[in-house]
Amino acid sequence: MIAALQQRWQQARRRRWWSTLLLALPLALGATAVALRLGGFDIATVVLLVALLAGVALSTWRSRQLDRRWLVRQLDRHAPLQDSADLLFAPDDALNPLQHRQRAHVHATLQTQTPDLRTAWPRRALLAAWLGALVVIALALGWPRTSGGTARPSPVTAPLATPAQPPRLQSSRLAINTPAYTGQPARVQSTLDAKVAQGSALQWSLRFSAQPREAVLQFHDGRRVALRREGDSWTGTWTADRPALYRVVTVPALAGPRLYRLDVLPDQPPRVRVLAPDRTLVLGMPGQRQWALQFEATDDHGVAADAQLKITLAQGSGENITFREHTLTLAGSGTPTLRRFARTLDLAALGAESGNDVIAQLQVRDNRAPTPQTAQSTSVILRLPSVEQVQGAELDGMVKKTLPAYFRSQRQIIIDAEALIKLRRQLPAEEFIKRADAIGVDQRILRLRYGQFLGEESEGGAKPPPTSDALPTRDTPTADAHDDTDAHAHAQAETSDHAQAGHDGHDHAGATPEAPPVFGSATDVLSEYGHTHDHAEAATLLDPQTRATLKAALDQMWSSEGELRQGRPEAALPYANKALAFIKQVQQAERIYLARVGPELPPIDESRRLSGDRTDLGSRTLPIAAVPAPEPAIVSAWQQLADPANTPDLDAIAQWLQRNDSRLPDPLSLAAAIEELRVAPDCGECRAVLRARLWRALSRPSPQVSRRTPPDRMGQAYLDALEATR
């Protein structure tokens, strides 16, 4: 379909929709005026809403009647199209060549002259409808309420209320004007229960079936709002500052009084969240010149368009630290309830240097009047590295970190020897002997470590560190030398072990007095000023039996070391296993030998055993201490409500509620239950409701040991299966 035809079709449908709605609108206004005169404002509002919805629905239905069939009929009335408008909507594969040619003719005709499909405006019908509606509205609103010269009350005017004919609430209207800073529009509702913002101005307009002599709004906390009569309605105003319950009280008494609830929603303070950076402490980069900050502030009624960014610059170190503060004003972006504040700080302009800390914090305020609420974000810190820190970081990657010396256990030596035996066929003979020798060196180091507990000496003196001018010598026996880098590693491990175990050479037989001490060795320091070892026979660290067992372990380690150094791990395994067994015995004996101090219990009186005499015996049952009731008045009232014959003191409960309403989650529910029972003292359901509310208001005792959670179905089945297997 060509675009011009589509546009004309939509114009025709819109013309039909608007003409129908303009015809239905005066009918809706007239019906609303009649309902307002006869039924009041509430009924008139309902009639107007229903009439408008009906008019819109009718207009939509009539416009949709202008469908494709209607369009084809309208186009066929146009003579140049030759009743061929339906070819425009037919599929291509369903047309023969002649029909294709005819459709091309229709297209060419519509491109040159497109007919106007809109219907004319129904001017006469519109004029008649609007004139009739104006007449009905004028009669409904301007018709006098009295007729003739006899002064009689209008059917709408309410008579005076009497005790025999008490007043009834016929209609109600509550106008709510919220504070301007909330941005909420004023609203009007027919119900007297409402949720309003704190500080809202409320205006009641009440109509009664019979006019009372006096009407007031009685609140649950004793406040009263007097209503004044204006014609047939009673009006009153109040500013909502706290949640309240109220009822309408009249003289004579209102028939069927009801309790209404006003929930006052306080204005919440704004909340600030830091978006960038993503952590509180940020370590700056060397040479950093800028720092990007981004915050997000939210509030229930709106955040102010500007915020204060406080920047604190900390300079110096130790006790010489100085602080400089700067304040910047930031403009936010986004909606009033969610604003974002962003700023990129120029560190050079702030005077930040290496080693300084830049602390930023955003302070926002909401739109509450007259006193806005403020909130602050968490402080974010940018720590600029000093020159020393930068140099230390560059040097850290150049330092070679050496792991501490590693000493294998006896069990690990056995595991390594067994693994080496399995690899005998896969390794060359030289490699096999070299690995066995390395395990033997580990066995030697472990033997020396255990030997220090028996006062044994090391097998060599301390050696000075190698230097470039100290050439290696071949004075040592060739049996302990190794022609590889592995042998050098073993020598280093042995030397470090001797230094740690305190086996460096000092004033003993066989030691070389010219050997210089090793720097940092505790043994060399002690050897110069004292003696570090006991004799093997006089060692007092262990008892004689444990010392003998440890000696046997060392002998087995010596034999294991000899076999391993000669490349025979199979022969070394029996000695190594025996050494491990002796070490386990030493460990157990050491535990047994430790001094133990037990409780000194009084002697048992054998004459009283199995006699049943419990004289002078204390009770093992712990006394159960009663938890003191923190609210005796509430506990007493709760107990009295269980008996219909007792009447609790409702005034005492109300006074307690006024003192403790801040800690209760819903104080208005308890106040409503008190008022309901006050109005109907004989109501059993009201007593039960108040008793339940008081139970929830009682303070919970301190947590005690909780009961074990009962098992579920699978857990119970498991326990039953365990019982069945016994």
Side-chain angles (χ1 to χ4, degrees):
M1 190 191 306
I2 59 179
L5 181 60
Q6 179 72 21
Q7 184 179 3
R8 293 295 178 87
W9 186 17
Q10 296 299 329
Q11 291 176 356
R13 299 183 73 171
R14 285 195 293 269
R15 176 69 62 84
R16 173 71 67 87
W17 192 90
W18 279 108
S19 60
T20 305
L21 182 62
L22 291 178
L23 287 174
L25 187 59
L27 300 179
L29 295 178
T32 303
V34 174
L36 181 63
R37 178 62 183 266
L38 299 179
F41 179 80
D42 296 339
I43 298 178
T45 303
V46 175
V47 171
L48 178 61
L49 181 61
V50 173
L52 291 178
L53 292 177
V56 173
L58 179 62
S59 302
T60 305
W61 175 74
R62 292 201 63 202
S63 65
R64 289 182 178 179
Q65 286 183 337
L66 306 183
D67 53 2
R68 186 180 297 177
R69 294 182 181 179
W70 175 87
L71 179 61
V72 171
R73 290 196 303 268
Q74 295 297 322
L75 293 177
D76 287 341
R77 294 178 182 178
H78 197 49
L81 298 183
Q82 300 175 356
D83 294 336
S84 302
D86 55 341
L87 297 177
L88 295 173
F89 308 100
D92 295 339
D93 54 356
L95 300 179
N96 54 34
L98 182 60
Q99 291 175 334
H100 277 287
R101 187 172 181 179
Q102 182 66 16
R103 187 169 66 174
H105 170 70
V106 172
H107 270 285
T109 303
L110 291 177
Q111 289 179 355
T112 56
Q113 46 181 349
T114 303
D116 189 2
L117 304 177
R118 295 177 298 177
T119 58
W121 287 100
R123 293 184 176 85
R124 295 183 179 180
L126 290 174
L127 181 60
W130 281 97
L131 288 178
L134 292 177
V135 172
V136 171
I137 294 173
L139 292 177
L141 300 181
W143 191 267
R145 297 183 180 272
T146 58
S147 59
T150 305
R152 60 181 182 86
S154 174
V156 181
T157 302
L160 295 177
T162 61
Q165 186 182 1
R168 294 181 179 274
L169 188 60
Q170 188 176 21
S171 64
S172 59
R173 179 174 176 268
L174 178 60
I176 304 172
N177 294 319
T178 58
Y181 73 87
T182 61
Q184 299 178 0
R187 68 180 191 273
V188 178
Q189 61 182 36
S190 58
T191 58
L192 298 182
D193 295 316
K195 288 185 178 182
V196 299
Q198 189 174 19
S200 300
L202 307 181
Q203 183 178 9
W204 288 268
S205 179
L206 308 178
R207 289 185 176 227
F208 301 97
S209 59
Q211 295 294 343
R213 294 192 300 272
E214 183 182 356
V216 296
L217 299 179
Q218 180 68 48
F219 291 86
H220 76 284
D221 55 359
R223 290 178 295 178
R224 297 166 64 92
V225 175
L227 301 179
R228 61 182 181 276
R229 183 176 178 180
E230 296 180 357
D232 291 339
S233 62
W234 294 76
T235 61
T237 58
W238 181 66
T239 301
D241 54 353
R242 56 181 299 179
L245 297 171
Y246 72 97
R247 65 174 73 252
V248 181
V249 179
T250 60
V251 179
L254 188 68
R258 182 192 162 190
L259 197 63
Y260 302 98
R261 176 168 178 163
L262 284 176
D263 289 313
V264 177
L265 306 178
D267 186 10
Q268 300 296 330
R271 296 174 296 275
V272 190
R273 186 166 63 97
V274 181
L275 298 181
D278 56 353
R279 58 182 61 89
T280 305
L281 178 60
V282 181
L283 299 179
M285 302 298 294
Q288 182 175 349
R289 309 299 295 272
Q290 294 180 341
W291 188 27
L293 300 174
Q294 190 174 4
F295 304 88
E296 182 182 76
T298 58
D299 188 72
D300 48 357
H301 296 308
V303 184
D306 56 345
Q308 303 296 323
L309 180 63
K310 295 183 178 180
I311 304 172
T312 303
L313 181 62
Q315 296 177 323
S317 61
E319 299 180 354
N320 299 324
I321 298 179
T322 59
F323 298 94
R324 289 191 301 169
E325 293 186 357
H326 304 270
T327 302
L328 302 178
T329 301
L330 304 184
S333 61
T335 61
T337 57
L338 192 150
R339 295 188 185 275
R340 290 193 175 186
F341 301 88
R343 182 63 180 263
T344 301
L345 299 181
D346 188 355
L347 301 180
L350 294 175
E353 301 175 353
S354 300
N356 298 163
D357 289 350
V358 183
I359 307 171
Q361 187 181 44
L362 185 71
Q363 182 177 4
V364 300
R365 65 182 189 279
D366 60 4
N367 296 326
R368 191 179 72 169
T371 305
Q373 300 181 103
T374 60
Q376 294 180 349
S377 67
T378 57
S379 298
V380 289
I381 305 173
L382 174 64
R383 181 159 295 169
L384 300 176
S386 61
V387 179
E388 294 79 5
Q389 293 175 347
V390 174
Q391 293 177 354
E394 295 176 353
L395 186 62
D396 188 30
M398 303 171 58
V399 176
K400 182 179 180 181
K401 298 181 180 180
T402 306
L403 295 176
Y406 171 70
F407 299 97
R408 300 192 181 187
S409 64
Q410 185 64 26
R411 187 182 300 276
Q412 185 63 40
I413 291 174
I414 295 174
I415 294 174
D416 293 345
E418 292 176 349
L420 182 60
I421 293 173
K422 295 180 181 179
L423 297 176
R424 175 182 287 275
R425 296 183 179 180
Q426 302 177 11
L427 297 176
E430 295 181 358
E431 181 66 22
F432 182 82
I433 295 175
K434 185 184 301 183
R435 293 193 180 185
D437 180 69
I439 300 175
V441 172
D442 295 334
Q443 181 70 84
R444 176 173 176 265
I445 296 174
L446 185 62
R447 176 176 59 82
L448 295 177
R449 284 172 58 84
Y450 279 104
Q452 65 180 331
F453 294 102
L454 297 180
E456 294 186 356
E457 301 299 335
S458 62
E459 299 180 359
K463 300 178 181 180
T467 56
S468 58
D469 55 348
L471 299 177
T473 61
R474 302 293 295 178
D475 297 333
T476 57
T478 57
D480 294 337
H482 302 282
D483 52 351
D484 224 23
T485 55
D486 194 15
H488 181 64
H490 296 335
Q492 286 185 349
E494 293 172 17
T495 304
S496 63
D497 178 67
H498 297 162
Q500 288 186 355
H503 293 143
D504 297 331
H506 49 271
D507 194 10
H508 289 287
T512 305
E514 291 81 12
V518 179
F519 176 76
S521 175
T523 306
D524 290 335
V525 175
L526 291 175
S527 64
E528 184 175 355
Y529 300 99
H531 198 74
T532 58
H533 297 292
D534 294 331
H535 295 288
E537 292 78 8
T540 58
L541 183 62
L542 302 174
D543 64 294
Q545 183 178 359
T546 305
R547 189 168 62 251
T549 306
L550 185 56
K551 274 189 175 183
L554 294 178
D555 293 340
Q556 299 298 326
M557 289 183 183
W558 177 271
S559 301
S560 173
E561 176 190 348
E563 298 294 341
L564 288 171
R565 299 296 290 268
Q566 297 179 27
R568 295 195 297 266
E570 296 90 346
L573 277 179
Y575 302 110
N577 289 323
K578 291 180 181 180
L580 178 61
F582 286 132
I583 291 174
K584 293 299 180 183
Q585 294 180 13
V586 170
Q587 293 175 354
Q588 296 174 3
E590 188 178 4
R591 295 191 188 99
I592 297 173
Y593 183 72
L594 291 177
R596 300 185 179 182
V597 178
E600 297 181 0
L601 300 177
I604 299 176
D605 188 1
E606 299 292 342
S607 62
R608 298 181 59 179
R609 290 178 62 86
L610 304 178
S611 63
D613 185 10
R614 300 184 58 86
T615 306
D616 299 334
L617 295 181
S619 176
R620 295 185 179 182
T621 304
L622 296 177
I624 300 177
V627 178
E631 302 93 2
I634 303 302
V635 175
S636 176
W638 182 80
Q639 295 173 350
Q640 293 175 0
L641 287 171
D643 187 4
N646 295 331
T647 302
D649 189 358
L650 299 180
D651 293 335
I653 302 176
Q655 294 175 4
W656 175 88
L657 178 60
Q658 293 181 4
R659 296 191 303 267
N660 300 271
D661 58 349
S662 59
R663 73 173 184 84
L664 299 180
D666 189 7
L668 290 184
S669 298
L670 180 56
I674 296 172
E675 294 298 325
E676 292 291 345
L677 186 60
R678 193 190 301 274
V679 174
D682 299 333
C683 178
E685 183 179 357
C686 300
R687 296 174 69 92
V689 172
L690 178 57
R691 196 165 187 264
R693 296 283 189 271
L694 288 178
W695 176 259
R696 297 178 182 177
L698 289 175
S699 298
R700 298 293 182 265
S702 58
Q704 303 295 332
V705 179
S706 59
R707 285 182 172 271
R708 180 179 297 176
T709 304
D712 55 3
R713 182 176 58 84
M714 296 183 62
Q716 189 62 41
Y718 176 74
L719 296 177
D720 295 342
L722 289 180
E723 291 291 338
T725 56
R726 290 186 177 181

